[in-house]
Amino acid sequence: MAHCVPSDLYPEKLWIETPLIRSNHLSSVLQCDVYLKLETLQPSQSFKYRGISYFAQHALRIHGPHVHLVIASSGNAGIAAACVANILGVRCTVFLPCGVDRATMDYMKKEGAEIVVEGGFYQEALQTAKRFVQATPKAVMVPGYDDPIVWEGHASMVHEIKLQLPRGRKPDAIFCSFGGGGLAGGIIQGCKAVGWDDVPLIAVETFGSNCFYQTLSLNNGPFIGGTAAEGRRTQEYCAEFDVNIAHLTTLTSKATSLGATSPSAAVVRMALDRKGGVKSVCVPDEMAMSAALSFAEDHKTLVELACSATIATAYKPELFRRLVPGRTQPNEQATVVFVVCGGFKVSLEDMEEHRSVVAADREASGGWLVAYNGEVLEVPKG
């Protein structure tokens, strides 16, 4: 039986409700009920589109029909902004760092967006976009991930999940990818709104693009030992939210959609303060690649590395059991939800490249090293 989020929560929403399915395969592997929230199909069925369309509608109400939406993005957020601008009939300019593939730019252009390529990283493109907004009448900066209105839009996903799970079922954990923190911020807000603030959040990144993990290692919170945080960084204290923030000086991961050099300070504060806590996990690119291949085979769905990094935790039961301890009551199975955020930047060619990289990596001795909340676990590559 289908359940719909009450229309008064999001009366003018532009996104489409996405499916929540039980994965029979992963449920069998992990001996629990594994549900997949499929934010994977079209731009109008993605978490990015939820928050960005919600913000764009707010900007349209405030600034009128001549509003000019401006966003900095490494891909998926820019696509969402271009799509919503096209639907609303307003102008959109997307600032991209160097290295964004042609297919992504072509998609944005087909939606009517103007493209500006500037800088080697997202933060450099963002600074250029901000200067453009200051100099351009009617221009409004659309935040890719760091804004309460964006999080409120993303939170709609949790309202859907609550209605889509079997009646009365509450997750024992929610898994999501973490780039700059927009998705996590939405999940945290959504959980609070539906009475799930005590549900643990498990945020996954790749080594080489792990600004959240490194930030948590600088603050009093979930880490219990050594940080095991790779990569060069600087740090800065944010007085507004009383947190130390890590700024990565290089991004080396192939999961480019996770390519934020620093996380949202507000989301870090929310994560540290929430009752259910947060567990931060880092996996190697090769493990994310392997999961992308397995997921394509098991679920007939292609996802980019920013998404498969999260799914990778489901393919390693020994890691999963560390993150989600079993229930104490006999004959009770845990229930977990994985946000499958999909992404635009994936192709059959990418999957073949993943296959080659993983095959070569498996020739090397040892397993894959995974970091979680200051601990390190070696998991088999098989």
Side-chain angles (χ1 to χ4, degrees):
M1 180 178 177
H3 299 278
C4 295
V5 174
S7 59
D8 58 339
L9 283 177
Y10 300 95
E12 299 177 347
K13 72 179 181 70
L14 297 178
W15 60 85
I16 300 170
E17 182 173 313
T18 59
L20 181 79
I21 65 166
R22 184 181 185 274
S23 169
N24 292 332
H25 177 79
L26 292 176
S27 296
S28 176
V29 169
L30 298 174
Q31 293 298 293
C32 68
D33 289 321
V34 177
Y35 288 88
L36 308 175
K37 184 61 170 166
L38 298 178
E39 302 280 299
T40 56
L41 302 177
Q42 298 292 330
S44 59
Q45 292 174 292
S46 72
F47 86 89
K48 289 282 190 184
Y49 190 84
R50 293 173 186 270
I52 287 173
S53 67
Y54 200 63
F55 183 93
Q57 288 175 297
H58 174 76
L60 180 61
R61 286 191 294 269
I62 298 298
H63 299 282
H66 297 293
V67 66
H68 180 172
L69 302 180
V70 178
I71 190 168
S73 169
S74 60
N76 290 318
I79 288 174
C83 290
V84 71
N86 192 13
I87 289 173
L88 295 176
V90 300
R91 190 176 173 188
C92 177
T93 300
V94 182
F95 286 78
L96 300 170
C98 295
V100 175
D101 62 274
R102 175 59 58 184
T104 299
M105 289 192 281
D106 287 346
Y107 194 101
M108 294 177 190
K109 290 177 181 177
K110 287 177 182 177
E111 292 292 332
E114 301 166 53
I115 306 298
V116 178
V117 178
E118 185 71 37
F121 300 107
Y122 166 78
Q123 287 295 336
E124 294 174 347
L126 176 62
Q127 293 308 313
T128 305
K130 287 180 176 179
R131 290 193 293 271
F132 178 84
V133 168
Q134 290 175 349
T136 306
K138 294 289 186 178
V140 172
M141 191 74 213
V142 179
Y145 58 83
D146 194 5
D147 189 272
I149 296 175
V150 171
W151 306 331
E152 188 176 349
H154 293 343
S156 62
M157 184 192 318
V158 181
H159 290 278
E160 292 176 11
I161 292 170
K162 184 173 184 180
L163 292 171
Q164 291 168 327
L165 282 172
R167 188 176 298 276
R169 191 80 65 90
K170 182 178 182 179
D172 291 274
I174 297 176
F175 288 71
C176 74
S177 300
F178 197 109
L183 176 56
I187 292 173
I188 291 170
Q189 281 201 356
C191 283
K192 195 165 188 177
V194 303
W196 287 355
D197 193 47
D198 58 339
V199 172
L201 175 64
I202 300 175
V204 187
E205 301 165 286
T206 51
F207 287 111
S209 187
N210 56 354
C211 64
F212 183 58
Y213 189 95
Q214 295 207 41
T215 290
L216 289 185
S217 75
L218 300 174
N219 292 277
N220 293 325
F223 279 23
I224 62 174
T227 67
E230 289 187 0
R232 296 178 179 177
R233 73 184 185 206
T234 60
Q235 70 180 72
E236 178 184 7
Y237 175 69
C238 175
E240 181 180 0
F241 297 104
D242 189 27
V243 291
N244 295 305
I245 298 295
H247 296 272
L248 305 188
T249 56
T250 59
L251 295 169
T252 59
S253 173
K254 296 291 186 182
T256 56
S257 290
L258 300 181
T261 52
S262 59
S264 161
V267 172
V268 172
R269 182 74 269 161
M270 289 192 294
L272 291 171
D273 290 346
R274 68 188 307 267
K275 184 178 178 181
V278 61
K279 295 181 181 178
S280 179
V281 183
C282 294
V283 303
D285 278 358
E286 295 80 5
M287 184 170 159
M289 291 177 184
S290 177
L293 293 166
S294 296
F295 193 76
E297 182 65 32
D298 299 333
H299 298 85
K300 312 307 177 190
T301 302
L302 298 184
V303 296
E304 62 176 79
L305 295 182
C307 174
S308 64
T310 296
I311 297 168
T313 60
Y315 281 98
K316 299 299 176 185
E318 60 274 35
L319 170 62
F320 179 84
R321 285 192 289 270
R322 300 281 188 100
L323 300 172
V324 185
R327 290 193 172 186
T328 57
Q329 297 296 324
N331 302 320
E332 273 196 3
Q333 288 197 144
T335 297
V336 296
V337 174
F338 285 82
V339 177
V340 182
C341 54
F344 180 83
K345 296 184 288 183
V346 62
S347 66
L348 293 175
E349 183 180 351
D350 292 332
M351 301 302 280
E352 287 305 314
E353 182 181 342
H354 296 348
R355 195 182 306 278
S356 298
V357 170
V358 171
D361 187 64
R362 282 177 173 154
E363 294 296 321
S365 61
W368 284 315
L369 296 181
V370 177
Y372 65 99
N373 279 25
E375 294 193 28
V376 178
L377 176 68
E378 183 174 343
V379 298
K381 294 179 179 177

